[in-house]
Amino acid sequence: MATRDARGDGIHRGQRHLAPCHPPFRPSPDRPEVVFKVKRDERGAIIKHKVRLGAKVYVQRYGVDYDEVFAPVARLESIRLLLALAGHEGWAVHHMDVKTAFLNVELNEEVYVDQPPGFKVAGRDHKAMYARGDGTSRLLVGMYVDDLIITGNDNKEISWFMDEMASSFKMSDLGLLTFYLGIEVHQDSTGITINQSAYALKILEKCGMADCNPSVVPMESRLKLSKKSMAPPADTTLYRSIVGSLRYLVHTRPDIAYVVGYVSRFMENPTTEHMSAVKHVLRYIAGTRSYGCHYGRKMTEPKIIGYIDSDMADDVDDRKSTTGVLFFLESSPITWQSRSRRSSLCLSVKRDERPNIIKHKAHLVAKGYVQRYGVDYDEVFAPVARLESVRLLLALAGHEGCAVHHMDVKTAFLNGDLNKEVYVDQSPGFKVAVQEHKVLRLQKALYCLKQAPRAWNAKRDARLSSFGFMCCPSEQAMYAHGDGTSRLLVGVYVDDLIITGNDNKEISRFKDEMASSFKMSDLGLLTFYLGIEVHQDNTGITIN
């Protein structure tokens, strides 16, 4: 009887009417089917039985039966922000559900379906977060298909909105928000807490690890896994199922974001080594099942604070960097991410010996890890002086009482000339209008391009040779100029130059020549080099 009433609801509300289907116009109809579902609370108990008459959308053809698909859902980051703001302000969060939401929509096109067995008869909005009012009376609404979460600082406005929605659609008022998209929500006088303890237990039970010994950390310290692991293969389906479940658990668990992202890289061909790391995560979850995020009440104006860090090309397979991002609303975490960086823009800082930031750098880089040896390049080369040679230069300068100067070449690799044709895609944010489909041919080297270090070394070597410098036969990054009466020594480490000699005029002339040839930074006397602190005084030079 419930089935007949549910399907009859669609007929009586004008969702369909009978139409003849005859040649020459014969659309291909969809045959509807009945779908039975249950709605559960955070404990897994059934709170509602649902039955729907649904079209078989899998038989619809793109470009024939429809042009696009769209899901009116708020991102979980936005939901967390809404909850954090409500917790910060001390607002209650309400929950409403739209009954048969999709049956309220009018179609702009003709769509035909077969009559369901047993019942045969003789503009668009892309928003999912809404705000109303100002600081004195504010109302916020988040939407996920047919679920609405509502909060604000005026209970009368909230009641008015809920009444208006109930008069427009068939609604269920579910009271204060307690369970949303598998996330448990607890509201009290201290704020709002979210977690997925029931979902975490479900994962552990699925894996047979509900009673396992817990771990206090999510992964082993300094763990390095490789896609080229020689360990025996693991069950691929099981591995993917567990990792997929863990990825949804990350929505309330920033503490496992890194390790879950890390083990996700091996879903193509997992081995027992990778599965062992996943089980370590499960053991950690077994001991921290109730962990989540707390959005506490504050009396101050909320501020968004963000942190970002990177491991700088630490992946053992492709040398990609893993970047971590975490944003707070005051002390409440609202969005986080840990992923292997795909951006073509590299951000870094340069520090002194204390270590204070003395320079922020941004480089547009090529994805050199996709270049193939023997096809895109023939060799790699690093224009660096060995530390033994650097110490010898400093010892000689200290012995002779000569000052050691420090210069830095800005965007060094961009000065290199390429001997081969190299093409790259246009970088996001820098694409040429109307020509987005075209690629770029490089005229100069880019950072991370395999040919870049060699090209820069050739350019710099040619310039120093034109100044009369001789390269040391056994150390290609050390140069000498002049004789005993006027001697000049230069050591090179990629884009860092250290300069010493017994003729200050020659040193000044060399600095001017370099500044006229390349964009340079004169850092004065050497104080910090490759993590080594350098102290110069009238007694000599000390390094530590």
Side-chain angles (χ1 to χ4, degrees):
M1 187 63 190
T3 305
R4 185 176 297 272
D5 290 343
R7 288 188 285 184
D9 185 61
I11 298 174
H12 295 309
R13 293 175 61 180
Q15 298 305 311
R16 50 188 177 159
H17 66 273
L18 295 178
C21 187
H22 54 79
F25 175 66
R26 184 179 292 275
S28 176
D30 297 335
R31 186 178 299 277
E33 62 183 6
V34 181
V35 179
F36 297 90
K37 294 182 66 178
V38 294
K39 192 165 187 175
R40 301 178 184 270
D41 61 13
E42 65 275 14
R43 295 179 298 276
I46 296 174
I47 58 175
K48 186 186 290 186
H49 291 82
K50 292 185 175 183
V51 58
R52 289 172 178 157
L53 181 66
K56 295 182 178 178
V57 295
Y58 51 83
V59 303
Q60 290 186 280
R61 293 163 295 172
Y62 176 73
V64 178
D65 301 304
Y66 69 99
D67 296 319
E68 64 171 350
V69 293
F70 172 72
V73 298
R75 293 184 300 172
L76 282 174
E77 293 88 343
S78 303
I79 298 299
R80 288 196 297 262
L81 177 59
L82 187 149
L83 294 176
L85 185 60
H88 182 278
E89 299 290 345
W91 300 340
V93 184
H94 300 261
H95 190 189
M96 294 189 78
D97 178 78
V98 185
K99 298 179 180 179
T100 59
F102 290 171
L103 302 187
N104 295 286
V105 180
E106 295 183 1
L107 297 174
N108 297 322
E109 300 171 337
E110 289 187 1
V111 178
Y112 296 85
V113 297
D114 285 334
Q115 297 181 54
F119 285 83
K120 294 185 178 180
V121 180
R124 183 176 73 181
D125 195 341
H126 283 207
K127 298 176 181 177
M129 295 293 293
Y130 297 85
R132 171 188 168 90
D134 52 25
T136 57
S137 179
R138 192 185 309 167
L139 189 63
L140 301 175
V141 178
M143 180 173 62
Y144 199 98
V145 188
D146 56 355
D147 276 298
L148 275 66
I149 57 175
I150 307 144
T151 189
N153 60 354
D154 191 331
N155 289 330
K156 289 184 179 180
E157 279 289 300
I158 293 175
S159 297
W160 167 84
F161 171 75
M162 295 172 75
D163 290 340
E164 286 290 326
M165 289 297 293
S167 66
S168 302
F169 310 102
K170 287 188 175 181
M171 304 290 296
S172 296
D173 184 354
L174 305 178
L176 293 179
L177 182 66
T178 59
F179 192 63
Y180 188 73
L181 304 177
I183 298 172
E184 301 165 44
V185 182
H186 305 276
Q187 305 183 51
D188 56 33
S189 58
T190 64
I192 298 173
T193 303
I194 62 173
N195 63 51
Q196 292 169 276
S197 59
Y199 182 68
L201 178 60
K202 184 178 178 181
I203 297 174
L204 294 171
E205 290 175 343
K206 180 177 72 173
C207 302
M209 297 183 64
D211 299 318
C212 67
N213 293 326
S215 171
V216 295
V217 292
M219 68 183 296
E220 296 177 17
S221 178
R222 303 181 185 278
L223 178 66
K224 298 293 181 186
L225 299 174
S226 172
K227 294 178 181 177
K228 302 174 184 176
S229 172
M230 302 303 293
D235 186 328
T236 302
T237 302
L238 178 61
Y239 186 90
R240 293 172 180 173
S241 175
I242 298 173
V243 173
S245 299
L246 291 175
R247 290 185 70 85
Y248 193 75
L249 190 62
V250 170
H251 287 312
T252 58
R253 297 289 299 269
D255 55 326
I256 61 171
Y258 170 74
V259 64
V260 172
Y262 190 55
V263 296
S264 297
R265 302 176 189 178
F266 312 107
M267 288 202 285
E268 186 174 354
N269 294 300
T271 67
T272 53
E273 191 177 34
H274 305 132
M275 183 63 84
S276 177
V278 171
K279 288 184 177 179
H280 193 121
V281 182
L282 293 173
R283 289 175 51 224
Y284 172 73
I285 291 170
T288 60
R289 196 161 55 85
S290 62
Y291 279 21
C293 298
H294 179 69
Y295 302 128
R297 186 170 184 179
K298 307 289 183 182
M299 303 306 294
T300 58
E301 186 70 20
K303 294 181 180 178
I304 292 181
I305 305 167
Y307 300 90
I308 184 170
D309 199 5
S310 174
D311 65 1
M312 298 301 176
D314 201 38
D315 191 286
V316 296
D317 290 317
D318 53 24
R319 310 311 300 172
K320 287 185 182 179
S321 298
T322 300
T323 300
V325 179
L326 180 59
F327 277 84
F328 291 83
L329 183 73
E330 289 295 327
S331 59
S332 304
I334 54 174
T335 185
W336 48 86
Q337 187 181 59
S338 176
R339 64 180 297 174
S340 182
R341 193 183 65 217
R342 298 175 183 174
S343 172
S344 57
L345 190 65
C346 179
L347 306 177
S348 62
V349 295
K350 191 164 188 174
R351 299 178 183 270
D352 61 15
E353 67 277 10
R354 282 183 290 275
N356 296 322
I357 296 175
I358 58 175
K359 185 185 292 185
H360 291 82
K361 294 183 175 182
H363 296 306
L364 186 66
V365 301
K367 295 181 179 178
Y369 53 81
V370 302
Q371 291 184 278
R372 293 164 296 174
Y373 176 75
V375 178
D376 302 301
Y377 68 98
D378 297 320
E379 63 173 349
V380 293
F381 174 74
V384 298
R386 291 180 297 171
L387 284 176
E388 294 87 342
S389 302
V390 173
R391 288 197 296 267
L392 177 59
L393 185 149
L394 294 176
L396 185 60
H399 182 273
E400 298 290 338
C402 302
V404 182
H405 299 259
H406 190 190
M407 294 189 80
D408 177 78
V409 186
K410 298 178 181 178
T411 59
F413 288 174
L414 303 188
N415 295 288
D417 297 316
L418 296 175
N419 297 323
K420 293 183 177 180
E421 291 186 3
V422 178
Y423 295 87
V424 297
D425 288 329
Q426 298 185 54
S427 179
F430 294 88
K431 293 186 177 181
V432 180
V434 194
Q435 299 186 31
E436 295 89 347
H437 61 287
K438 294 184 178 180
V439 296
L440 302 176
R441 177 183 175 182
L442 295 181
Q443 296 180 341
K444 297 284 186 178
L446 275 182
Y447 278 86
C448 293
L449 196 68
K450 300 293 187 184
Q451 295 93 331
R454 171 68 73 182
W456 158 239
N457 182 71
K459 186 84 168 186
R460 188 211 63 243
D461 182 74
R463 199 66 185 133
L464 289 178
S465 297
S466 70
F467 296 157
F469 279 86
M470 297 291 293
C471 181
C472 176
S474 60
E475 177 63 277
Q476 297 186 19
M478 298 295 292
Y479 294 82
H481 179 273
D483 51 25
T485 57
S486 179
R487 189 187 310 162
L488 195 60
L489 301 175
V490 176
V492 178
Y493 198 98
V494 188
D495 56 356
D496 278 295
L497 275 65
I498 55 175
I499 309 142
T500 191
N502 59 358
D503 190 332
N504 289 332
K505 288 184 178 179
E506 279 294 300
I507 292 175
S508 296
R509 185 183 68 82
F510 171 73
K511 286 185 173 183
D512 292 340
E513 288 288 340
M514 288 297 293
S516 66
S517 302
F518 309 104
K519 288 185 177 181
M520 305 288 298
S521 295
D522 187 349
L523 305 178
L525 293 179
L526 182 66
T527 58
F528 193 65
Y529 186 72
L530 304 176
I532 300 172
E533 299 171 39
V534 181
H535 306 275
Q536 304 184 52
D537 55 31
N538 55 4
T539 64
I541 298 175
T542 304
I543 62 173
N544 60 47

